[in-house]
Amino acid sequence: MRQNRVLWLLDRLERGPRADAVIDAIGRGVRALPLGRGRDALHGRWLGHPVHPLMVQVPIGSWLSAALLDLRPGRSREAEVLIGVGLTAAAPAALAGWTDWAELHRQQQRVGLVHALSNVTAAALYATSLTCRLRGRHAAGRAYGLLGLTAVGVGGMLGGHLAYRQASGANHAEEVPHVVTEGWHRIGTVDEFPAGRPVRRSVDDVPVLVVRETGGTVRALADRCSHLAGPLSEGTIADGCVQCPWHGSVFRLSDGWNVRGPATAPQPAFDTRITDGHVEIRLRQGDRAEHTDSSRETEREPGSAEEGVTHGSPGHHA
């Protein structure tokens, strides 16, 4: 079977470097915006997932409703109001989208740029539609509105490709509780973990970041950043946190809480203990998924005593 034509075009778009200079320039501009703490709010850290998909429902819903009203005579005034609402709501939604876009992989940014251009085109068409309607040119206004809705559809298709094909905005650490088996896992002797330095280990083929603090407490988190799977073990350790080397997300070592974005989801955390000079870890109970497959083998705990188990303080969700 031949590949779907649309997917073939999108694959070419992902690989094409022609717009990379523009992407770099826009990315620098977006990252330089003096947003302060508002940047994390636009990422959706307070919500637990990106806020941009939620915000775009207002302009899309308003414009679609206006198109339906255009099918009924005598409802031009209501359609004008809805188009105005959509244009007003499009601005903050676009700002949230650009803020997320600036922290994506290059392939995602290439698709995201066309996604943004489609939405900018839609907004321009709807602004023209509203202008025509206010001047009494209702037929032209409806025509521009239909073109705007078409552009919105193209932008929505590209947004779906970003989210579901390219995993933009997805939690890249979500699979950890479904993969790591129950019980304690021995990952090395204490002297294999120099104080204050990140070390990477693996449990059930899941990379784990391990840090032995100066006081001797051992911390362990899933190594792949929940934002875009960056290697936390190559990041910077400071003030009880680790900073992802790719996009700067900061996670608390004690419990994996995402202190700063662009990550919107915390890291799965592990309990730790030292047994006979060896470091052992197990996935923290609050991070464990419930498995319904009774045939799944689980690792039994070596012994019943759990002295020295290190638990982190739970993060406080908004």
Side-chain angles (χ1 to χ4, degrees):
M1 295 179 63
R2 297 197 311 177
Q3 185 180 11
N4 181 289
R5 182 69 176 178
V6 174
L7 289 178
W8 180 81
L9 290 172
L10 289 172
D11 288 343
R12 289 197 63 182
L13 177 60
E14 292 177 16
R15 296 192 298 267
R18 294 182 179 180
D20 285 359
V22 175
I23 289 173
D24 289 336
I26 297 176
R28 286 193 298 268
V30 173
R31 288 189 291 272
L33 291 174
L35 298 174
R37 294 185 178 180
R39 190 175 298 274
D40 274 0
L42 289 169
H43 283 310
R45 191 175 73 87
W46 58 274
L47 185 61
H49 60 76
V51 72
H52 172 68
L54 176 64
M55 298 177 73
V56 299
Q57 303 307 309
V58 178
I60 292 175
S62 298
W63 292 335
L64 178 59
S65 299
L68 292 176
L69 288 178
D70 280 341
L71 299 177
R72 299 184 61 187
R75 305 304 293 269
S76 296
R77 179 56 182 168
E78 291 88 340
E80 292 171 8
V81 172
L82 286 169
I83 291 174
V85 170
L87 288 170
T88 302
L95 180 58
W98 282 113
T99 304
D100 287 341
W101 172 87
E103 308 296 345
L104 296 178
H105 292 313
R106 180 49 51 90
Q107 292 83 356
Q108 295 167 328
Q109 287 182 324
R110 290 167 180 163
V111 176
L113 181 62
V114 181
H115 166 71
L117 290 176
S118 298
N119 291 331
V120 169
T121 300
L125 288 167
Y126 272 110
T128 304
S129 173
L130 183 59
T131 301
C132 290
R133 293 167 191 264
L134 293 176
R135 293 178 177 177
R137 300 169 55 198
H138 296 290
R142 288 192 291 270
Y144 278 112
L146 181 59
L147 291 173
L149 189 62
T150 301
V152 167
V154 173
M157 182 271 293
L158 292 169
H161 185 83
L162 274 164
Y164 299 111
R165 179 70 174 259
Q166 295 183 301
S168 169
N171 177 5
H172 288 260
E174 191 278 334
E175 81 283 355
V176 172
H178 306 279
V179 177
V180 175
T181 52
E182 296 179 6
W184 292 96
H185 303 264
R186 184 164 290 186
I187 57 173
T189 59
V190 175
D191 56 10
E192 293 180 37
F193 304 96
R197 291 177 55 187
V199 176
R200 179 172 177 167
R201 287 292 184 265
S202 180
V203 172
D204 293 329
D205 294 325
V206 173
V208 178
L209 161 72
V210 184
V211 178
R212 182 163 66 92
E213 297 179 335
T214 304
T217 302
V218 179
R219 307 292 188 185
L221 302 176
D223 185 53
R224 294 195 181 100
C225 177
S226 63
H227 175 233
L228 281 176
L232 297 183
S233 55
E234 298 178 16
T236 303
I237 306 297
D239 300 323
C241 297
V242 57
Q243 182 174 24
C244 179
W246 283 7
H247 301 101
S249 296
V250 176
F251 302 92
R252 199 160 54 201
L253 289 170
S254 61
D255 58 3
W257 184 247
N258 47 320
V259 177
R260 188 168 74 242
T264 58
Q267 289 295 113
F270 292 78
D271 293 327
T272 66
R273 70 180 184 184
I274 298 176
T275 304
D276 298 329
H278 289 80
V279 176
E280 297 179 345
I281 65 174
R282 70 176 178 187
L283 189 64
R284 193 160 296 167
Q285 295 301 313
D287 292 328
R288 176 164 302 284
E290 294 187 11
H291 302 286
T292 57
D293 184 0
S294 60
S295 65
R296 181 184 176 92
E297 294 184 1
T298 59
E299 181 177 330
R300 295 184 178 274
E301 297 184 9
S304 58
E306 294 189 11
E307 293 83 356
V309 177
T310 301
H311 302 277
S313 302
H316 297 285
H317 296 259

